[in-house]
Amino acid sequence: MAAQEVVPAPREPEDVLGDVARAVLGPGAHQVVDLLDVLEGVPRTEVDVVRAGDDLLPRLAHENALDRALRLARAALRPGGLLVAAVPELERLRRLRPTAPPPRVSGRGEQRQVTVQLWDWDSDGDSYGLEVVQLVRGRGTWEVATAVSTRHRVLTAEQVADLLADAGFVAVQRLAPAESGHPLPVWVAVAPR
């Protein structure tokens, strides 16, 4: 009997952001909160890590709320704490203005899910509407599980670095997907000691 190849299960992006934080901070228990929680005033004490998922920074930028959000994240962190954020870099796509990336498929069999993104670019290419539709297997067919719509601003790597520095972070670093294991570039910024 031939040995079967073991394929690791895909990791959730939030897990990858946590892995990046642990790699920087070292072993031990670290208090991690999401940037959305910080914006709602949830952490009452300083935390070790504030993380931001894939579309949050571009959405906050479109809402003209990113500067404030980054300052609040900085204030929520203990000295030496980290902001870890995944940020899509779509600067090169603004000329092409594609309507959608490939669908993302997860799970197997009846547990399979498909996530589709639809993009509607502004004429200047600086912003785009984003619709995310998640399909799940129903009774012999596909059903829409969730659908959300937001607007995003295209952020360049230089803009992200400047915004993090302006918010008071130090040792700002951009990790390529090959370095972090996340499908998007991941930014790591340190609260000063």
Side-chain angles (χ1 to χ4, degrees):
M1 176 181 234
Q4 283 188 324
E5 179 182 350
V6 176
V7 178
R11 306 230 351 157
E12 289 296 315
E14 292 80 17
D15 293 341
V16 174
L17 295 179
D19 291 345
V20 169
R22 280 186 293 283
V24 174
L25 294 175
H30 304 291
Q31 186 176 7
V32 179
V33 296
D34 289 322
L35 182 56
L36 285 175
D37 293 332
V38 171
L39 296 177
E40 294 174 4
V42 170
R44 301 282 183 228
T45 62
E46 291 180 330
V47 297
D48 300 304
V49 179
V50 174
R51 69 178 175 202
D54 303 4
D55 68 339
L56 186 55
L57 270 56
R59 181 170 54 99
L60 292 170
H62 180 76
E63 296 169 357
N64 294 318
L66 185 53
D67 293 334
R68 178 180 173 272
L70 293 175
R71 284 192 312 274
L72 288 172
R74 165 53 202 98
L77 289 165
R78 67 165 173 73
L82 304 177
L83 171 72
V84 182
V87 183
E89 292 178 356
L90 302 177
E91 180 180 10
R92 286 178 266 164
L93 293 181
R94 71 171 63 174
R95 283 191 322 273
L96 302 173
R97 299 191 182 117
T99 56
R104 189 178 79 213
V105 179
S106 61
R108 293 182 176 271
E110 292 299 314
Q111 302 304 313
R112 184 175 295 173
Q113 297 181 359
V114 177
T115 303
V116 179
Q117 292 184 17
L118 305 171
W119 297 345
D120 183 22
W121 290 84
D122 288 351
S123 60
D124 61 8
D126 287 339
S127 297
Y128 59 97
L130 172 66
E131 292 182 76
V132 180
V133 179
Q134 186 175 37
L135 304 170
V136 296
R137 294 293 274 164
R139 288 169 273 209
T141 186
W142 289 97
E143 297 176 2
V144 174
T146 59
V148 295
S149 298
T150 62
R151 299 220 40 94
H152 293 187
R153 191 171 94 204
V154 174
L155 295 171
T156 66
E158 294 82 16
Q159 288 172 320
V160 174
D162 289 345
L163 287 162
L164 291 168
D166 291 347
F169 288 98
V170 297
V172 174
Q173 201 176 2
R174 178 194 173 276
L175 302 176
E179 296 172 292
S180 70
H182 194 285
L184 297 175
V186 172
W187 289 84
V188 179
V190 180
R193 293 187 184 275

